[in-house]
mmCIF file of all heavy atoms in Angstrom:
data_model
loop_
_atom_site.group_PDB
_atom_site.id
_atom_site.type_symbol
_atom_site.label_atom_id
_atom_site.label_comp_id
_atom_site.label_asym_id
_atom_site.label_seq_id
_atom_site.Cartn_x
_atom_site.Cartn_y
_atom_site.Cartn_z
ATOM 1 N N GLY A 124 127.694 96.701 95.229
ATOM 2 C CA GLY A 124 126.567 96.649 94.189
ATOM 3 C C GLY A 124 126.224 95.230 93.776
ATOM 4 O O GLY A 124 125.025 94.904 93.575
ATOM 5 N N VAL A 125 127.319 94.410 93.714
ATOM 6 C CA VAL A 125 127.042 92.960 93.389
ATOM 7 C C VAL A 125 126.263 92.339 94.492
ATOM 8 O O VAL A 125 125.327 91.556 94.210
ATOM 9 C CB VAL A 125 128.487 92.284 93.217
ATOM 10 C CG1 VAL A 125 128.161 90.779 93.128
ATOM 11 C CG2 VAL A 125 129.071 92.789 91.865
ATOM 12 N N ILE A 126 126.631 92.613 95.768
ATOM 13 C CA ILE A 126 125.913 92.003 96.844
ATOM 14 C C ILE A 126 124.401 92.447 96.868
ATOM 15 O O ILE A 126 123.531 91.721 97.083
ATOM 16 C CB ILE A 126 126.573 92.334 98.178
ATOM 17 C CG1 ILE A 126 127.940 91.657 98.249
ATOM 18 C CG2 ILE A 126 125.651 91.877 99.407
ATOM 19 C CD1 ILE A 126 128.816 92.006 99.351
ATOM 20 N N THR A 127 124.247 93.777 96.721
ATOM 21 C CA THR A 127 122.770 94.291 96.598
ATOM 22 C C THR A 127 122.096 93.728 95.567
ATOM 23 O O THR A 127 120.919 93.286 95.704
ATOM 24 C CB THR A 127 122.874 95.847 96.462
ATOM 25 O OG1 THR A 127 123.589 96.435 97.519
ATOM 26 C CG2 THR A 127 121.449 96.388 96.437
ATOM 27 N N LYS A 128 122.674 93.604 94.389
ATOM 28 C CA LYS A 128 122.019 93.022 93.187
ATOM 29 C C LYS A 128 121.755 91.571 93.555
ATOM 30 O O LYS A 128 120.620 91.071 93.169
ATOM 31 C CB LYS A 128 122.943 93.072 92.015
ATOM 32 C CG LYS A 128 122.381 92.358 90.645
ATOM 33 C CD LYS A 128 123.348 92.694 89.523
ATOM 34 C CE LYS A 128 122.884 91.953 88.363
ATOM 35 N NZ LYS A 128 123.687 92.287 87.049
ATOM 36 N N ALA A 129 122.586 90.833 94.257
ATOM 37 C CA ALA A 129 122.327 89.418 94.575
ATOM 38 C C ALA A 129 121.116 89.237 95.413
ATOM 39 O O ALA A 129 120.292 88.378 95.294
ATOM 40 C CB ALA A 129 123.631 88.894 95.245
ATOM 41 N N ARG A 130 121.015 90.171 96.481
ATOM 42 C CA ARG A 130 119.832 90.189 97.277
ATOM 43 C C ARG A 130 118.636 90.420 96.597
ATOM 44 O O ARG A 130 117.551 89.824 96.756
ATOM 45 C CB ARG A 130 120.014 91.212 98.425
ATOM 46 C CG ARG A 130 121.138 90.897 99.404
ATOM 47 C CD ARG A 130 121.115 91.710 100.654
ATOM 48 N NE ARG A 130 122.126 91.511 101.704
ATOM 49 C CZ ARG A 130 123.048 92.393 101.957
ATOM 50 N NH1 ARG A 130 123.151 93.563 101.323
ATOM 51 N NH2 ARG A 130 124.043 91.997 102.768
ATOM 52 N N ASN A 131 118.696 91.423 95.672
ATOM 53 C CA ASN A 131 117.396 91.775 94.860
ATOM 54 C C ASN A 131 116.996 90.526 94.071
ATOM 55 O O ASN A 131 115.775 90.199 94.034
ATOM 56 C CB ASN A 131 117.680 92.864 93.906
ATOM 57 C CG ASN A 131 117.893 94.151 94.583
ATOM 58 O OD1 ASN A 131 117.396 94.326 95.799
ATOM 59 N ND2 ASN A 131 118.514 95.249 94.052
ATOM 60 N N ILE A 132 117.964 89.876 93.449
ATOM 61 C CA ILE A 132 117.564 88.751 92.584
ATOM 62 C C ILE A 132 117.039 87.619 93.393
ATOM 63 O O ILE A 132 116.080 86.904 93.064
ATOM 64 C CB ILE A 132 118.727 88.315 91.755
ATOM 65 C CG1 ILE A 132 119.131 89.412 90.714
ATOM 66 C CG2 ILE A 132 118.563 87.001 91.146
ATOM 67 C CD1 ILE A 132 120.269 89.150 89.853
ATOM 68 N N LYS A 133 117.749 87.356 94.547
ATOM 69 C CA LYS A 133 117.094 86.226 95.435
ATOM 70 C C LYS A 133 115.792 86.519 95.880
ATOM 71 O O LYS A 133 114.905 85.648 95.939
ATOM 72 C CB LYS A 133 118.127 86.081 96.659
ATOM 73 C CG LYS A 133 117.756 84.922 97.527
ATOM 74 C CD LYS A 133 118.722 84.798 98.695
ATOM 75 C CE LYS A 133 118.344 83.517 99.559
ATOM 76 N NZ LYS A 133 116.958 83.659 100.014
ATOM 77 N N ASP A 134 115.570 87.807 96.329
ATOM 78 C CA ASP A 134 114.176 88.125 96.798
ATOM 79 C C ASP A 134 113.123 87.968 95.627
ATOM 80 O O ASP A 134 112.020 87.444 95.863
ATOM 81 C CB ASP A 134 114.140 89.562 97.242
ATOM 82 C CG ASP A 134 114.740 89.837 98.561
ATOM 83 O OD1 ASP A 134 115.190 88.755 99.225
ATOM 84 O OD2 ASP A 134 115.107 90.978 98.894
ATOM 85 N N GLN A 135 113.603 88.341 94.468
ATOM 86 C CA GLN A 135 112.637 88.331 93.264
ATOM 87 C C GLN A 135 112.464 86.777 92.925
ATOM 88 O O GLN A 135 111.309 86.361 92.538
ATOM 89 C CB GLN A 135 113.153 89.045 92.180
ATOM 90 C CG GLN A 135 113.089 90.547 92.448
ATOM 91 C CD GLN A 135 113.624 91.356 91.288
ATOM 92 O OE1 GLN A 135 114.359 90.865 90.404
ATOM 93 N NE2 GLN A 135 113.431 92.700 91.326
ATOM 94 N N GLU A 136 113.486 85.959 92.972
ATOM 95 C CA GLU A 136 113.284 84.585 92.649
ATOM 96 C C GLU A 136 112.408 83.897 93.599
ATOM 97 O O GLU A 136 111.548 83.003 93.339
ATOM 98 C CB GLU A 136 114.694 83.851 92.652
ATOM 99 C CG GLU A 136 115.492 84.248 91.405
ATOM 100 C CD GLU A 136 116.789 83.538 91.298
ATOM 101 O OE1 GLU A 136 117.190 82.983 92.437
ATOM 102 O OE2 GLU A 136 117.508 83.631 90.263
ATOM 103 N N ASP A 137 112.605 84.235 94.951
ATOM 104 C CA ASP A 137 111.724 83.704 95.984
ATOM 105 C C ASP A 137 110.220 84.064 95.722
ATOM 106 O O ASP A 137 109.359 83.305 96.004
ATOM 107 C CB ASP A 137 112.149 84.104 97.324
ATOM 108 C CG ASP A 137 113.481 83.520 97.773
ATOM 109 O OD1 ASP A 137 113.807 82.433 97.224
ATOM 110 O OD2 ASP A 137 114.121 84.038 98.785
ATOM 111 N N SER A 138 110.075 85.375 95.234
ATOM 112 C CA SER A 138 108.789 85.882 94.908
ATOM 113 C C SER A 138 108.104 84.961 93.827
ATOM 114 O O SER A 138 106.901 84.717 93.821
ATOM 115 C CB SER A 138 108.786 87.333 94.589
ATOM 116 O OG SER A 138 107.507 87.834 94.338
ATOM 117 N N VAL A 139 108.898 84.780 92.741
ATOM 118 C CA VAL A 139 108.426 83.987 91.636
ATOM 119 C C VAL A 139 107.929 82.600 92.204
ATOM 120 O O VAL A 139 106.896 82.104 91.874
ATOM 121 C CB VAL A 139 109.469 83.802 90.550
ATOM 122 C CG1 VAL A 139 109.065 82.799 89.562
ATOM 123 C CG2 VAL A 139 109.672 85.244 89.857
ATOM 124 N N ARG A 140 108.837 81.905 92.935
ATOM 125 C CA ARG A 140 108.612 80.682 93.532
ATOM 126 C C ARG A 140 107.258 80.697 94.319
ATOM 127 O O ARG A 140 106.376 79.748 94.139
ATOM 128 C CB ARG A 140 109.730 80.137 94.342
ATOM 129 C CG ARG A 140 110.944 79.746 93.554
ATOM 130 C CD ARG A 140 112.048 79.203 94.517
ATOM 131 N NE ARG A 140 113.301 78.956 93.759
ATOM 132 C CZ ARG A 140 114.287 79.824 93.840
ATOM 133 N NH1 ARG A 140 114.217 80.929 94.555
ATOM 134 N NH2 ARG A 140 115.349 79.585 93.137
ATOM 135 N N SER A 141 107.103 81.586 95.208
ATOM 136 C CA SER A 141 105.948 81.620 96.039
ATOM 137 C C SER A 141 104.739 81.950 95.258
ATOM 138 O O SER A 141 103.677 81.309 95.497
ATOM 139 C CB SER A 141 106.190 82.781 97.132
ATOM 140 O OG SER A 141 105.060 82.935 97.850
ATOM 141 N N SER A 142 104.835 82.939 94.363
ATOM 142 C CA SER A 142 103.715 83.231 93.482
ATOM 143 C C SER A 142 103.169 82.167 92.686
ATOM 144 O O SER A 142 101.997 81.710 92.456
ATOM 145 C CB SER A 142 103.948 84.427 92.586
ATOM 146 O OG SER A 142 104.280 85.651 93.338
ATOM 147 N N LEU A 143 104.140 81.407 92.074
ATOM 148 C CA LEU A 143 103.775 80.286 91.134
ATOM 149 C C LEU A 143 103.118 79.136 91.972
ATOM 150 O O LEU A 143 102.161 78.498 91.479
ATOM 151 C CB LEU A 143 104.963 79.645 90.476
ATOM 152 C CG LEU A 143 104.868 78.799 89.278
ATOM 153 C CD1 LEU A 143 104.272 79.589 88.154
ATOM 154 C CD2 LEU A 143 106.149 78.149 88.928
ATOM 155 N N ASP A 144 103.561 78.879 93.213
ATOM 156 C CA ASP A 144 103.000 77.893 94.089
ATOM 157 C C ASP A 144 101.574 78.223 94.521
ATOM 158 O O ASP A 144 100.592 77.459 94.366
ATOM 159 C CB ASP A 144 103.866 77.670 95.347
ATOM 160 C CG ASP A 144 103.257 76.508 96.175
ATOM 161 O OD1 ASP A 144 103.305 75.358 95.650
ATOM 162 O OD2 ASP A 144 102.925 76.722 97.341
ATOM 163 N N LEU A 145 101.384 79.573 94.838
ATOM 164 C CA LEU A 145 100.025 80.062 95.225
ATOM 165 C C LEU A 145 99.054 79.934 93.956
ATOM 166 O O LEU A 145 97.824 79.621 94.172
ATOM 167 C CB LEU A 145 100.139 81.425 95.729
ATOM 168 C CG LEU A 145 100.764 81.545 97.079
ATOM 169 C CD1 LEU A 145 100.967 83.126 97.408
ATOM 170 C CD2 LEU A 145 99.930 80.899 98.129
ATOM 171 N N MET A 146 99.555 80.266 92.759
ATOM 172 C CA MET A 146 98.818 80.158 91.580
ATOM 173 C C MET A 146 98.351 78.775 91.293
ATOM 174 O O MET A 146 97.227 78.576 90.882
ATOM 175 C CB MET A 146 99.619 80.822 90.466
ATOM 176 C CG MET A 146 99.810 82.294 90.427
ATOM 177 S SD MET A 146 101.045 82.950 89.245
ATOM 178 C CE MET A 146 100.091 82.597 87.815
ATOM 179 N N TYR A 147 99.285 77.873 91.507
ATOM 180 C CA TYR A 147 98.895 76.520 91.237
ATOM 181 C C TYR A 147 97.752 75.962 92.195
ATOM 182 O O TYR A 147 96.888 75.381 91.794
ATOM 183 C CB TYR A 147 100.176 75.621 91.383
ATOM 184 C CG TYR A 147 99.996 74.087 91.104
ATOM 185 C CD1 TYR A 147 99.710 73.729 89.751
ATOM 186 C CD2 TYR A 147 99.843 73.215 92.143
ATOM 187 C CE1 TYR A 147 99.512 72.356 89.501
ATOM 188 C CE2 TYR A 147 99.664 71.897 91.844
ATOM 189 C CZ TYR A 147 99.417 71.493 90.497
ATOM 190 O OH TYR A 147 99.138 70.193 90.250
ATOM 191 N N LYS A 148 97.955 76.387 93.570
ATOM 192 C CA LYS A 148 96.936 75.974 94.473
ATOM 193 C C LYS A 148 95.574 76.574 94.100
ATOM 194 O O LYS A 148 94.605 75.980 94.221
ATOM 195 C CB LYS A 148 97.368 76.425 95.851
ATOM 196 C CG LYS A 148 98.508 75.608 96.435
ATOM 197 C CD LYS A 148 99.097 76.115 97.722
ATOM 198 C CE LYS A 148 100.262 75.226 98.266
ATOM 199 N NZ LYS A 148 100.749 75.853 99.447
ATOM 200 N N ASP A 149 95.629 77.887 93.675
ATOM 201 C CA ASP A 149 94.441 78.530 93.292
ATOM 202 C C ASP A 149 93.761 77.871 92.055
ATOM 203 O O ASP A 149 92.550 77.673 92.029
ATOM 204 C CB ASP A 149 94.697 79.949 92.970
ATOM 205 C CG ASP A 149 93.472 80.678 92.482
ATOM 206 O OD1 ASP A 149 92.499 80.913 93.304
ATOM 207 O OD2 ASP A 149 93.456 81.214 91.318
ATOM 208 N N LEU A 150 94.681 77.479 91.182
ATOM 209 C CA LEU A 150 94.199 76.798 90.042
ATOM 210 C C LEU A 150 93.435 75.430 90.298
ATOM 211 O O LEU A 150 92.410 75.129 89.792
ATOM 212 C CB LEU A 150 95.326 76.571 89.072
ATOM 213 C CG LEU A 150 95.068 75.969 87.662
ATOM 214 C CD1 LEU A 150 96.405 76.356 86.826
ATOM 215 C CD2 LEU A 150 95.054 74.446 87.612
ATOM 216 N N LYS A 151 94.073 74.686 91.258
ATOM 217 C CA LYS A 151 93.522 73.383 91.558
ATOM 218 C C LYS A 151 92.140 73.609 92.304
ATOM 219 O O LYS A 151 91.201 72.681 92.167
ATOM 220 C CB LYS A 151 94.426 72.614 92.517
ATOM 221 C CG LYS A 151 95.811 72.266 91.832
ATOM 222 C CD LYS A 151 95.562 71.210 90.564
ATOM 223 C CE LYS A 151 95.124 69.924 91.047
ATOM 224 N NZ LYS A 151 95.014 69.038 89.845
ATOM 225 N N GLN A 152 91.967 74.601 93.082
ATOM 226 C CA GLN A 152 90.763 74.925 93.791
ATOM 227 C C GLN A 152 89.610 75.260 92.715
ATOM 228 O O GLN A 152 88.553 74.799 92.852
ATOM 229 C CB GLN A 152 90.872 76.017 94.779
ATOM 230 C CG GLN A 152 91.769 75.741 95.995
ATOM 231 C CD GLN A 152 91.814 76.894 96.918
ATOM 232 O OE1 GLN A 152 91.630 78.057 96.533
ATOM 233 N NE2 GLN A 152 92.130 76.621 98.192
ATOM 234 N N LYS A 153 90.017 76.054 91.764
ATOM 235 C CA LYS A 153 89.188 76.412 90.651
ATOM 236 C C LYS A 153 88.773 75.170 89.809
ATOM 237 O O LYS A 153 87.712 75.143 89.269
ATOM 238 C CB LYS A 153 89.673 77.480 89.802
ATOM 239 C CG LYS A 153 89.698 78.907 90.586
ATOM 240 C CD LYS A 153 90.223 80.027 89.846
ATOM 241 C CE LYS A 153 89.855 81.402 90.302
ATOM 242 N NZ LYS A 153 90.397 81.569 91.664
ATOM 243 N N GLN A 154 89.734 74.327 89.575
ATOM 244 C CA GLN A 154 89.411 73.039 88.929
ATOM 245 C C GLN A 154 88.328 72.274 89.563
ATOM 246 O O GLN A 154 87.386 71.732 89.004
ATOM 247 C CB GLN A 154 90.667 72.260 88.682
ATOM 248 C CG GLN A 154 90.392 70.839 87.902
ATOM 249 C CD GLN A 154 91.616 70.066 87.823
ATOM 250 O OE1 GLN A 154 92.742 70.341 88.498
ATOM 251 N NE2 GLN A 154 91.593 69.058 86.980
ATOM 252 N N LYS A 155 88.427 72.187 90.980
ATOM 253 C CA LYS A 155 87.439 71.476 91.650
ATOM 254 C C LYS A 155 86.034 72.157 91.591
ATOM 255 O O LYS A 155 85.013 71.549 91.427
ATOM 256 C CB LYS A 155 87.863 71.282 93.112
ATOM 257 C CG LYS A 155 88.989 70.428 93.443
ATOM 258 C CD LYS A 155 89.363 70.340 94.887
ATOM 259 C CE LYS A 155 90.566 69.463 95.169
ATOM 260 N NZ LYS A 155 90.854 69.398 96.646
ATOM 261 N N ALA A 156 86.081 73.481 91.756
ATOM 262 C CA ALA A 156 84.752 74.223 91.576
ATOM 263 C C ALA A 156 84.192 73.955 90.235
ATOM 264 O O ALA A 156 82.998 73.854 90.074
ATOM 265 C CB ALA A 156 85.061 75.679 91.796
ATOM 266 N N TYR A 157 85.002 74.022 89.125
ATOM 267 C CA TYR A 157 84.492 73.819 87.787
ATOM 268 C C TYR A 157 83.910 72.329 87.598
ATOM 269 O O TYR A 157 82.799 72.277 86.989
ATOM 270 C CB TYR A 157 85.676 73.965 86.863
ATOM 271 C CG TYR A 157 85.274 73.581 85.384
ATOM 272 C CD1 TYR A 157 84.525 74.484 84.626
ATOM 273 C CD2 TYR A 157 85.870 72.501 84.756
ATOM 274 C CE1 TYR A 157 84.207 74.113 83.334
ATOM 275 C CE2 TYR A 157 85.537 72.208 83.518
ATOM 276 C CZ TYR A 157 84.734 72.974 82.768
ATOM 277 O OH TYR A 157 84.395 72.619 81.538
ATOM 278 N N GLU A 158 84.637 71.363 88.183
ATOM 279 C CA GLU A 158 84.212 70.079 88.045
ATOM 280 C C GLU A 158 82.835 69.809 88.713
ATOM 281 O O GLU A 158 81.959 69.067 88.324
ATOM 282 C CB GLU A 158 85.212 69.006 88.475
ATOM 283 C CG GLU A 158 86.429 68.956 87.517
ATOM 284 C CD GLU A 158 87.553 68.204 88.045
ATOM 285 O OE1 GLU A 158 87.624 67.936 89.316
ATOM 286 O OE2 GLU A 158 88.493 67.897 87.332
ATOM 287 N N ALA A 159 82.714 70.551 89.978
ATOM 288 C CA ALA A 159 81.449 70.452 90.612
ATOM 289 C C ALA A 159 80.307 71.165 89.848
ATOM 290 O O ALA A 159 79.205 70.696 89.906
ATOM 291 C CB ALA A 159 81.617 71.105 91.999
ATOM 292 N N SER A 160 80.740 72.239 89.294
ATOM 293 C CA SER A 160 79.649 73.018 88.584
ATOM 294 C C SER A 160 79.178 72.256 87.339
ATOM 295 O O SER A 160 78.048 72.312 86.871
ATOM 296 C CB SER A 160 80.228 74.310 88.008
ATOM 297 O OG SER A 160 81.009 74.187 86.878
#
């Protein structure tokens, strides 16, 4: 159960990292669009 829990947490942490990076990139694109507008 510990090993399964570890895998779950690692997958979720990776998901947070990936999502946060994508959100930041999306934010920067929207910043450029806003400044152009």
Side-chain angles (χ1 to χ4, degrees):
V125 168
I126 293 173
T127 300
K128 180 175 179 177
R130 290 193 181 116
N131 288 341
I132 289 178
K133 183 179 183 301
D134 288 346
Q135 289 176 351
E136 288 181 346
D137 288 344
S138 181
V139 170
R140 293 186 183 96
S141 175
S142 296
L143 197 67
D144 186 62
L145 289 174
M146 290 168 70
Y147 182 74
K148 290 176 180 176
D149 178 65
L150 187 158
K151 295 299 288 185
Q152 289 179 342
K153 286 182 168 60
Q154 181 182 6
K155 290 180 180 178
Y157 171 75
E158 290 170 346
S160 78

